[in-house]
Amino acid sequence: MTARIGVVTFPGSLDDRDTQRAIRVAGAEPVALWHKDKDLKQVDAVVLCGGFSYGDYLRAGAIARFSPVMEPLIDQAKAGLPVLGICNGFQILTEAHLLPGAMLGNDHLHFICRDQKLRVENADTAWTTDYTAGQEIHIPLKNMDGRYVADRRTLDELEAEGRVAFRYVDFNPNGSLNDIAGITNAAGNVVGLMPHPEHAVEPLIGTGRTDGLPFFTSILKKLVNA
């Protein structure tokens, strides 16, 4: 039976089709979810894709967090449903308190778009098992509000519990504290990151590498072997 991975589209989402393609390239079935859906169509996992939901009004992800689709998603994520938040999706996950901390404007106050080197810090989450801890990868990055912040106690907990999933290497593109590019919840089923792995699954697009594909093969293997 083919694993079904939902991709939520909000008004202002930009990368839903790219994410669906990445899921298909990995061998799973993408399922389109609309922000007004009140159920998740019995998917096995969900991706909140990148973009500018609701135009980033108020602050990035703040309005999307209250979309109808988020109610079942929050409940099921707390019960173990694998959820990946990419860029705006990461922002939504923090607004929904599925991940701690917050995303603020880049410290240089400019939109940034570049290929970014990351180090995999946690290869034990539902979305990272096809990586190895310490592995360095290149993933496209594009954001205006990508600066991860949290209070010192939260940062200390994330570091102590191994919940920093990815860290920027060589260059911190947005001023994120501790060079954090992505984090996970304690259970490892919810992961958020700013760079866009869906743009690095085929050699002809993005970085020209496939460093982002393991996100999608990792969750596929977890679902198949569950």
Side-chain angles (χ1 to χ4, degrees):
M1 184 175 179
T2 303
R4 302 172 73 248
I5 302 177
V7 179
V8 180
T9 299
F10 299 92
S13 294
L14 298 179
D15 300 298
D16 43 356
R17 297 296 181 89
D18 303 79
T19 304
Q20 290 174 26
R21 179 171 178 80
I23 291 167
R24 195 174 293 111
V25 169
E29 176 188 351
V31 178
L33 298 174
W34 183 234
H35 70 112
K36 289 186 177 181
D37 289 340
K38 295 182 179 180
D39 70 81
L40 301 180
K41 301 181 181 178
Q42 297 182 315
V43 296
D44 302 301
V46 172
V47 179
L48 299 177
C49 67
F52 302 89
S53 59
Y54 295 93
D56 281 350
Y57 289 116
L58 301 182
R59 61 183 177 272
I63 299 177
R65 176 261 178 273
F66 292 101
S67 291
V69 73
M70 291 300 296
E71 184 174 350
L73 187 146
I74 291 170
D75 289 343
Q76 292 185 43
K78 290 178 178 178
L81 178 75
V83 178
L84 174 65
I86 302 170
C87 195
N88 188 228
F90 187 9
Q91 295 160 346
I92 294 169
L93 290 177
T94 61
E95 290 289 337
H97 303 297
L98 287 173
L99 291 175
M103 312 302 301
L104 300 181
N106 298 341
D107 59 352
H108 46 72
L109 304 181
H110 294 287
F111 181 85
I112 189 168
C113 183
R114 56 172 281 139
D115 291 341
Q116 178 67 46
K117 183 189 288 188
L118 307 176
R119 183 170 60 249
V120 180
E121 302 282 22
N122 186 332
D124 295 323
T125 79
W127 300 89
T128 59
T129 54
D130 270 358
Y131 293 111
T132 57
Q135 181 179 353
E136 293 187 353
I137 60 177
H138 292 78
I139 303 289
L141 174 75
K142 48 178 184 173
N143 64 74
M144 180 68 187
D145 299 288
R147 178 162 53 110
Y148 180 78
V149 298
D151 61 83
R152 177 49 55 186
R153 179 179 178 181
T154 297
L155 289 172
D156 289 345
E157 287 179 353
L158 289 173
E159 297 287 1
E161 296 172 7
R163 291 171 55 196
V164 176
F166 296 90
R167 213 180 299 270
Y168 297 117
V169 175
D170 296 339
F171 173 73
N172 186 324
N174 44 40
S176 291
L177 298 180
N178 292 21
D179 297 327
I180 290 174
I183 61 175
T184 178
N185 67 345
N189 63 302
V190 179
V191 171
L193 79 159
M194 286 310 296
H196 287 258
E198 76 279 13
H199 296 321
V201 299
E202 296 177 289
L204 294 179
I205 60 173
T207 61
R209 303 157 65 125
T210 59
D211 290 4
L213 187 58
F215 276 91
F216 306 100
T217 56
S218 293
I219 189 60
L220 178 59
K221 289 179 181 179
K222 176 177 176 58
L223 295 173
V224 169
N225 295 327

